[in-house]
Amino acid sequence: MIESNSPKDTHPALNQPRRRAALQWMFTLATGTTMLPLAGCGSAGDDGTEDTLPEPQVLTSANGKLEMELNAQYTTQTLDIAQVQDPAYPGKATPTQTHLRSFNGQYAAPTLIVNQGDTLRILLNNRLPDNTRQTGVEYLNFQNSTNLHFHGLHVDPREIRPGVFGDYVVDTAEGGVLPGKSRQHELAIPADHQNGIYWYHPHLHGSSNGQVSSGMFGAIIIRDLSDRFITSPDIRERVIFVHKLNLNEAGRTDSFKDSVNAPTSAFLLNGAYQPTIVMRPGEVQNWHLINSSSFYPFNPVLDDHTLWAYAKDGNVYDRLFKPMNAGNASQFTDANWPGNALFPGNRHSIVVKASDTPGTYYLRAVKAPSSEVDEEIVARIVVEGSPVDTPMPSASDLPRYKDHEAITDQELAAHGGKQRNLVLAVLNKDDDRILKPIPEGEDWFVPPEEGFMANTVFAAGAVGAKLVPFQSSLTVTQTVALEAVEEWTIHSLNGYPHPFHIHVNDSYIVRVNGLPITPFWADTIPVPPNGNVTFRMRFADFKGKFVWHCHALDHEDMGMMQLVDVVA
């Protein structure tokens, strides 16, 4: 077991409620696209051990365009499910028949590979059954309505022309794409968009947690054709979703209550429990880790190896690697926040060089603030077969992008220099910081007779103002001038590290708990428990309305979200 520097002493964790979610990493057919494997795919070892990490179908753009249909529907599949337990291999898993919402009848949706300057067109078809009344909280009764968010992409958030939408999620809970309806998305990827790993998932207020928890998500990889960082065909590229599943006794996650109250599974990787990854001695692989869990962090450690991270949330580091290993896995001080952990919505891109010593190693999820347990074994890494001498990519070859240069004090001042202090809070409905009275016709909390999250308001707002949930904030927006540069500080009033995420624009993090840090770019950043983070943003290129919210999606569904309106 990896010892911790007692992160709970610095950042006390909440008592953990039971949490959620499911996936399976097998993909579906789509038309009008080129279907190619990721770079370097093929057998890793030659001593007979089977590599059991499920692989995606990959859809790749052709002639500057990728076009596909994405069907929201139920599917039945048997998955190996284990409850969280003491770290052991093999763990105790039970084959479980599941009946869950999915994209295209498989888990998860295809990985989409597009180049800078390409156009991505997705027709979202809602083939889920009609909504049913599940609770007295009205806005939670639309679990089969949906929409689609493109997490981390710097693209237009508006309805760009009649009936054609960009990264549009400004829907009311009773709106969105209703069962039996469709929505056409069209994303023009900027020619200078940074390369890297992104993902897509539903984002309808009130139903996002249950749908993402069911496995409705897929990856997006943006290629820079001039990138020289990983060019060897011998380096295998792997997209790995890390996820937890919450199933009721029938193997389903139908309601919002199911997605937060059903027992929480151990981590799955691409839908598999403790899969085997086979590598040859000396082999190099390129892993994109995506935390699609709704609540828990994933803090990876690979026995007797160092994972060399080169990008966070699709943002490449400035010509350097960040080493990730047992020695630094528990560093959560302000200067190191958030350590190596992936919080919900985060992604790490890493290069892994297998040991020259054949043997069995274990990939572990070790302790981080808000972890459910101290450690889980999530995969077995078998190093076997004929040695190879694949050279490591050089950090000096990592690309630089003009839009991700440092935001200096001078640039901030020259573009308005506005500062905002905002709050994320889980509070009792009677707390004086909550606006009273509740506006007529709005549901802000679950009544006590329904027995889950009762009398609790999940709210956001400005420091010094009364706090409200999103149910009331469709008309309470942060208005920002197009091309402004601003500095925001997000405060948490709770012991849980709320993962802050804003759509469309990345964040340049400059301070944690008021103290300067080595700045970095991200699109999802956990707020230290009972603390704050400060970041700067360029509101460039796109006007329109989009949202910022907690990426613990049950918190977002309960109201921890606000609108931003960028105006010319």
Side-chain angles (χ1 to χ4, degrees):
M1 182 178 297
I2 304 301
E3 296 210 355
S4 164
N5 292 334
S6 297
K8 60 180 181 296
D9 296 333
T10 304
H11 301 305
L14 290 173
N15 291 329
Q16 300 305 325
R18 301 164 88 179
R19 286 300 188 273
R20 67 213 112 311
L23 76 75
Q24 172 66 17
W25 187 240
M26 293 181 173
F27 289 102
T28 71
L29 296 176
T31 58
T33 61
T34 301
M35 292 178 278
L36 297 173
L38 293 177
C41 286
S43 176
D46 53 11
D47 286 0
T49 301
E50 181 183 5
D51 190 307
T52 62
L53 178 69
E55 292 287 349
Q57 177 194 358
V58 178
L59 306 181
T60 302
S61 64
N63 301 316
K65 183 170 69 174
L66 195 161
E67 188 163 6
M68 64 174 295
E69 293 193 19
L70 197 63
N71 301 318
Q73 62 191 82
Y74 270 91
T75 192
T76 298
Q77 185 166 345
T78 298
L79 301 175
D80 287 335
I81 303 299
Q83 299 306 307
V84 175
Q85 54 198 276
D86 292 335
Y89 184 89
K92 298 178 181 179
T94 302
T96 303
Q97 187 178 64
T98 66
H99 187 66
L100 297 166
R101 300 177 184 92
S102 72
F103 282 135
N104 291 0
Q106 299 280 346
Y107 294 93
T111 294
L112 311 179
I113 299 183
V114 295
N115 298 320
Q116 295 168 322
D118 281 355
T119 297
L120 174 61
R121 285 178 56 86
I122 296 179
L123 180 63
L124 175 63
N125 302 312
N126 188 346
R127 296 181 178 174
L128 295 169
D130 290 341
N131 289 298
T132 59
R133 186 174 180 83
Q134 300 174 332
T135 171
V137 185
E138 283 303 317
Y139 75 93
L140 296 178
N141 286 325
F142 302 94
Q143 297 296 306
N144 287 335
S145 296
T146 194
N147 63 13
L148 193 59
H149 168 47
F150 300 89
H151 186 123
L153 292 188
H154 182 62
V155 292
D156 200 321
R158 298 171 297 176
E159 182 178 11
I160 55 179
R161 57 183 183 273
V164 179
F165 296 81
D167 185 13
Y168 182 91
V169 299
V170 187
D171 296 298
T172 61
E174 65 273 15
V177 184
L178 304 177
K181 302 297 183 182
S182 299
R183 176 177 286 176
Q184 179 68 61
H185 290 273
E186 181 177 295
L187 307 181
I189 308 299
D192 59 352
H193 198 293
Q194 61 270 25
N195 70 347
I197 186 72
Y198 305 90
W199 63 304
Y200 57 99
H201 60 82
H203 206 291
L204 184 67
H205 179 56
S207 68
S208 62
N209 188 61
Q211 294 180 7
V212 176
S213 292
S214 291
M216 294 175 67
F217 46 76
I220 300 172
I221 297 175
I222 294 183
R223 300 287 197 214
D224 178 347
L225 296 181
S226 66
D227 182 19
R228 299 177 303 167
F229 177 61
I230 295 180
T231 55
S232 170
D234 296 326
I235 296 179
R236 184 176 187 177
E237 184 174 29
R238 309 191 81 156
V239 173
I240 304 174
F241 279 100
V242 296
H243 198 71
K244 283 181 177 280
L245 181 64
N246 288 70
L247 296 175
N248 63 23
E249 292 181 355
R252 305 171 68 109
T253 309
D254 286 328
S255 68
F256 177 82
K257 185 176 181 180
D258 287 339
S259 70
V260 298
N261 271 25
T264 302
S265 77
F267 274 116
L268 304 175
L269 300 188
N270 291 350
Y273 177 62
Q274 293 185 337
T276 295
I277 297 173
V278 181
M279 300 180 71
R280 293 180 179 177
E283 182 185 358
V284 176
Q285 293 192 359
N286 177 24
W287 293 357
H288 302 293
L289 300 174
I290 305 173
N291 188 349
S292 53
S293 295
S294 296
F295 189 79
Y296 293 113
F298 178 74
N299 191 13
V301 167
L302 178 54
D303 292 350
D304 299 326
H305 289 71
T306 290
L307 307 174
W308 297 97
Y310 65 88
K312 183 181 183 67
D313 294 353
N315 300 291
V316 294
Y317 297 135
D318 191 14
R319 305 285 169 84
L320 56 82
F321 288 121
K322 179 180 177 180
M324 300 166 59
N325 51 46
N328 57 27
S330 59
Q331 294 178 357
F332 298 108
T333 59
D334 294 340
N336 296 301
W337 185 258
N340 299 337
L342 288 171
F343 284 79
N346 276 144
R347 287 94 64 213
H348 278 327
S349 292
I350 61 179
V351 287
V352 185
K353 187 175 181 68
S355 172
D356 292 329
T357 303
T360 296
Y361 306 85
Y362 295 104
L363 180 64
R364 304 171 189 269
V366 299
K367 186 69 176 176
S370 75
S371 293
E372 188 175 17
V373 294
D374 288 343
E375 183 179 318
E376 294 181 48
I377 292 178
V378 299
R380 178 179 67 144
I381 313 299
V382 175
V383 177
E384 68 177 24
S386 304
V388 294
D389 189 23
T390 308
M392 281 278 287
S394 172
S396 64
D397 286 332
L398 286 168
R400 286 177 171 147
Y401 297 98
K402 183 173 178 57
D403 285 349
H404 279 63
E405 293 176 350
I407 301 178
T408 63
D409 293 345
Q410 293 78 10
E411 181 184 352
L412 180 66
H415 289 80
K418 188 174 180 63
Q419 296 177 314
R420 301 176 194 251
N421 277 273
L422 303 170
V423 175
L424 296 171
V426 182
L427 299 171
N428 184 275
K429 67 180 180 65
D430 297 322
D431 194 290
D432 289 340
R433 290 167 288 189
I434 299 295
L435 179 69
K436 299 179 182 64
I438 295 173
E440 185 177 355
E442 292 187 7
D443 290 320
W444 282 19
F445 56 86
V446 177
E449 59 267 21
E450 296 209 23
F452 68 103
M453 295 187 171
N455 295 329
T456 303
V457 176
F458 293 73
V463 170
K466 294 294 185 181
L467 302 179
V468 297
F470 188 71
Q471 293 87 287
S472 186
S473 59
L474 285 168
T475 56
V476 181
T477 63
Q478 304 293 327
T479 303
V480 180
L482 183 64
E483 306 301 336
V485 179
E486 297 194 353
E487 182 176 277
W488 291 21
T489 299
I490 307 295
H491 302 263
S492 171
L493 300 186
N494 305 112
Y496 172 72
H498 297 292
F500 169 91
H501 172 54
I502 189 167
H503 293 200
V504 180
N505 299 304
D506 280 345
S507 306
Y508 183 65
I509 293 87
V510 295
R511 292 191 296 279
V512 173
N513 288 327
L515 300 176
I517 62 167
T518 301
F520 62 92
W521 287 94
D523 61 48
T524 305
I525 177 71
V527 184
N530 302 301
N532 59 73
V533 296
T534 301
F535 50 85
R536 296 170 176 179
M537 286 179 292
R538 298 183 178 105
F539 289 88
D541 303 323
F542 303 113
K543 62 182 180 179
K545 294 179 180 179
F546 49 92
V547 294
W548 62 270
H549 61 93
C550 176
H551 215 281
L553 293 179
D554 54 337
H555 293 187
E556 183 267 301
D557 277 347
M558 290 293 290
M560 195 176 284
M561 181 162 67
Q562 273 204 338
L563 273 174
V564 179
D565 193 3
V566 179
V567 297

